Amino acid sequence: MKNKEPESVPPKKARNWAPESEEVSDEELEEQTSGKPKSTLFDDDDDDDVNGFDEMDEDDVDSYDDAEGDAYMEEAAGKIEIQIPTIEEVEKELAENPDLANVQARIKDIAFILSDFSNRREEGRSRSEYLSIFLKDLTTYYSYNEYLMEKLLHMFGVTELVEFLEANERPRPVTIRTNTLKTRRKLLASALIDQGVDVDVIAWSKVGLVVMQTPGSVALGATPQYLAGQYLLQGASSFLPVMALAPKSGEKVLDMCAAPGGKSTHIAAIMKNTGMIVSNDVHAARVKALVGNFHRMGITNSLITNMDGRVFAKKMPGAFDRILLDAPCSGTGVISKDESVKITKDAKDIQRCSHLQRELLLAAIDSVHKYNGENGYVVYSTCSILVEENEEVIDYALRKRKVKLVPTGLEIGKPGYIHYRGHKFDPNMHLCKRVYPHAYNMDGFFVAKLKKLDDGPRIMVQEDTTEETAEEMEETEQKEEEQEEEEKKAKKGKKSGNALTGKKVLTGKK
Ligand SMILES: C[S@@+](CC[C@H](N)C(=O)[O-])C[C@H]1O[C@@H](n2cnc3c(N)ncnc32)[C@H](O)[C@@H]1O
């Protein structure tokens, strides 16, 4: 086993970014952009990255203290003024036949200007104008729609956004999870190494292996070990929700959205095929894949159902000790696997996902029994990084049901947002975990763990006592969206070409 990076597709072009400006970073954005992860997929020594820079950060993610970056900074700092065309000129250029090298250079220049705005801007030009150009250039260069790019800019700020976008241009390392019902990780690693497959352990998991290199003659989905059910090809982020769920032998567990079964088979292995797992999915075709995986991996403690997860609470109220809700989502954490997300997701899609996620989460909470010793937990996860599908959904559940957020027990991941663009979420939201491709070289993921305190709805204030129907929720959000649009238009009127709500972006308010 070698301790090296797996090969990955090189980025379009290496780029070095200026440090975050004071203006961009508020306290939390600062933490988000400068705080490097404590451990990554390839760390095997916590001490390696005491300064927040580990092997992956230096090699894979552009950092602003490398030689090329310094040279660029010095060169740029020497310039009297960096000239950026007007928004109208940029729009014209992008609409015609944009020269991507030119666009890339301008992205770099604007990032540099924004990182010390008061000293580097051209006289008389506003920050929102630079941001509008920046946004347009990024959408062109990385091929995203403006809706998603704007959302991402709100979340990450200038420097981290580019790191995130660059990470999405590269595939994540191939990882596999040992099926401990059939073998042990060490034995599996030796068997694969014997076939010329170069693997290394994932330090924070007892069952994960990262595949560094595979000879052309070996297909990882067709080795004798794979066919014997000794492992599953699974992204490392997907281990996290099950680790947070921490099921115990003999328990009753529901995996509400289970197909194709990556997490259900992990749960079954941890439970050593004891107790009972109900693995459910609404899509019959996907349930077939679930059945196939269960047979191959020797799962015998499971019942497979094909229902809408929202009906579980009605059919089986309080029936389960633990529930995993790995919710359907927009997939903004897995863009490197599915590039279509860059252009297909709009406000309506995200709203639809958020509604379904809220309804599924309330149903999950109603299907888990109330606090009893160590039981009564719901883990909520998505492979989306958007706040609308994560913190907003959790916050909604905390307002509607008697549950509280508890630590996930996960070593990796950044904390959930407590403040986001004027919204204040539950103060315990920091207990949630956010995993980003640029920070951990893993798919983007969100994981939250809730403990049920009691049955029934949470009665908070008079107007909050009735369950909001999907239509009401849609109406409320529609109004909020319209209000936001109005505000944007009002600002646009004042500042030419401002596609962003400038101040919020500037201060990186979460
Ligand atoms: C993120 S995937 C689940 C992946 C799965 N947990 C795994 O690890 O293999 C989300 C799943 O939710 C299912 N789904 C969507 N809407 C649902 C609903 N209303 N009830 C139950 N399942 C649903 C989809 O068919 C999809 O398989």
Side-chain angles (χ1 to χ4, degrees):
M1 293 191 224
K2 288 192 213 147
N3 194 11
K4 63 170 190 186
E5 285 277 335
E7 283 184 13
S8 65
V9 172
K12 278 176 183 154
K13 190 157 194 293
R15 191 183 287 117
N16 304 286
W17 300 96
E20 200 74 7
S21 77
E22 281 165 32
E23 286 154 300
V24 174
S25 53
D26 64 1
E27 206 179 20
E28 282 145 333
L29 189 63
E30 169 71 36
E31 183 188 309
Q32 201 187 31
T33 51
S34 63
K36 297 285 170 178
K38 278 211 168 71
S39 97
T40 72
L41 205 51
F42 307 108
D43 281 345
D44 54 4
D45 181 350
D46 284 343
D47 298 329
D48 279 350
D49 52 18
V50 281
N51 296 322
F53 288 93
D54 52 33
E55 199 182 346
M56 183 202 75
D57 291 321
E58 284 171 359
D59 292 350
D60 255 2
V61 177
D62 306 319
S63 56
Y64 35 75
D65 63 350
D66 61 17
E68 210 187 317
D70 287 346
Y72 177 75
M73 297 272 284
E74 277 161 27
E75 185 200 323
K79 291 180 188 173
I80 310 245
E81 199 170 73
I82 300 173
Q83 306 255 324
I84 303 292
T86 64
I87 180 87
E88 290 79 15
E89 286 166 341
V90 171
E91 274 171 350
K92 190 163 175 287
E93 178 196 325
L94 298 182
E96 285 166 2
N97 193 11
D99 171 358
L100 286 185
N102 192 31
V103 174
Q104 187 198 30
R106 192 163 53 226
I107 291 172
K108 222 170 179 181
D109 281 342
I110 297 181
F112 180 74
I113 293 167
L114 291 172
S115 67
D116 186 6
F117 185 65
S118 47
N119 290 318
R120 293 175 184 162
R121 69 165 170 168
E122 283 173 72
E123 188 73 29
R125 297 193 73 174
S126 69
R127 186 176 176 109
S128 59
E129 191 185 349
Y130 282 108
L131 279 169
S132 297
I133 298 172
F134 189 62
L135 193 71
K136 286 194 183 301
D137 281 341
L138 288 176
T139 55
T140 302
Y141 188 70
Y142 291 100
S143 310
Y144 285 62
N145 65 25
E146 274 200 34
Y147 167 78
L148 185 56
M149 191 60 87
E150 194 172 330
K151 283 234 162 294
L152 296 171
L153 184 58
H154 291 153
M155 285 185 63
F156 289 122
V158 170
T159 307
E160 196 177 7
L161 171 59
V162 180
E163 290 178 356
F164 172 76
L165 297 172
E166 279 293 319
N168 288 343
E169 299 300 301
R170 300 187 295 269
R172 305 278 74 81
V174 175
T175 50
I176 60 186
R177 180 175 54 76
T178 314
N179 179 13
T180 51
L181 293 173
K182 300 242 180 186
T183 188
R184 286 187 289 134
R185 175 164 73 172
K186 209 171 168 182
L187 294 175
L188 175 62
S190 319
L192 291 172
I193 288 167
D194 286 348
Q195 293 164 71
V197 182
D198 188 5
V199 294
D200 200 354
V201 296
I202 296 176
W204 48 262
S205 153
K206 290 191 177 121
V207 291
L209 289 170
V210 57
V211 180
M212 322 296 274
Q213 222 164 12
T214 313
S217 54
V218 176
L220 283 172
T223 64
Q225 290 72 28
Y226 179 85
L227 297 173
Q230 291 187 6
Y231 67 87
L232 190 81
L233 284 154
Q234 190 176 31
S237 296
S238 290
F239 301 3
L240 300 173
V242 177
M243 288 166 76
L245 188 69
K248 306 270 186 298
S249 295
E251 287 184 341
K252 293 191 282 298
V253 177
L254 168 65
D255 187 355
M256 200 178 241
C257 300
K263 297 180 190 72
S264 268
T265 52
H266 192 180
I267 294 169
I270 293 175
M271 289 168 67
K272 302 188 175 70
N273 256 341
T274 67
M276 181 188 69
I277 306 173
V278 176
S279 298
N280 175 70
D281 203 280
V282 76
H283 289 121
R286 288 175 65 88
V287 169
K288 282 190 186 143
L290 185 78
V291 174
N293 275 324
F294 276 28
H295 282 153
R296 187 174 62 81
M297 300 188 83
I299 312 301
T300 55
N301 63 341
S302 169
L303 191 76
I304 294 174
T305 56
N306 178 205
M307 294 198 282
D308 188 318
R310 289 171 289 189
V311 306
F312 262 89
K314 292 186 193 91
K315 293 205 182 294
M316 289 177 248
F320 297 96
D321 299 315
R322 290 171 207 256
I323 296 182
L324 174 63
L325 172 55
D326 186 34
C329 69
S330 65
T332 52
V334 288
I335 290 174
S336 68
K337 279 190 195 140
D338 179 6
E339 280 216 320
S340 72
V341 173
K342 289 178 174 184
I343 49 163
T344 53
K345 302 298 167 192
D346 61 17
K348 276 245 164 304
D349 293 312
I350 304 305
Q351 210 176 73
R352 251 195 307 270
C353 280
S354 185
H355 285 168
L356 178 57
Q357 289 156 349
R358 288 171 197 217
E359 289 177 358
L360 285 167
L361 184 53
L362 292 195
I365 292 168
D366 293 343
S367 296
V368 86
H369 62 68
K370 66 180 181 185
Y371 176 69
N372 171 21
E374 285 302 304
N375 297 334
Y377 293 98
V378 174
V379 166
Y380 175 83
S381 61
T382 68
C383 60
S384 169
I385 56 159
L386 297 182
V387 173
E388 290 83 346
E389 298 179 74
N390 296 314
E391 283 89 345
E392 279 190 16
V393 175
I394 297 297
D395 207 62
Y396 175 78
L398 289 167
R399 283 184 277 116
K400 296 290 180 189
R401 292 291 185 270
K402 294 167 200 152
V403 285
K404 67 168 186 174
L405 275 163
V406 293
T408 58
L410 300 171
E411 280 175 42
I412 59 170
K414 296 189 177 195
Y417 290 97
I418 296 174
H419 302 278
Y420 183 78
R421 308 196 75 228
H423 294 281
K424 192 171 186 307
F425 296 127
D426 186 277
N428 281 329
M429 205 64 81
H430 67 96
L431 295 173
C432 304
K433 293 286 189 179
R434 293 186 144 265
V435 173
Y436 298 124
H438 59 286
Y440 298 96
N441 206 7
M442 286 159 51
D443 290 334
F445 239 84
F446 175 88
V447 183
K449 186 169 186 175
L450 294 164
K451 186 178 206 168
K452 183 149 176 182
L453 302 173
D454 211 342
D455 288 322
R458 189 188 286 277
I459 316 289
M460 292 188 80
V461 283
Q462 196 62 36
E463 63 268 29
D464 216 20
T465 55
T466 49
E467 193 73 50
E468 224 178 347
T469 64
E471 291 76 38
E472 283 166 345
M473 273 165 36
E474 195 149 15
E475 211 181 340
T476 312
E477 287 186 15
Q478 184 84 32
K479 277 186 193 149
E480 283 171 7
E481 295 264 325
E482 281 167 9
Q483 201 179 332
E484 237 179 75
E485 265 314 304
E486 286 298 312
E487 282 169 18
K488 263 191 218 166
K489 275 187 201 151
K491 282 195 175 150
K492 238 183 187 171
K494 283 186 204 153
K495 300 171 186 179
S496 78
N498 179 14
L500 300 166
T501 46
K503 200 65 192 165
K504 281 177 179 166
V505 175
L506 307 190
T507 53
K509 273 266 171 275
K510 290 182 238 175

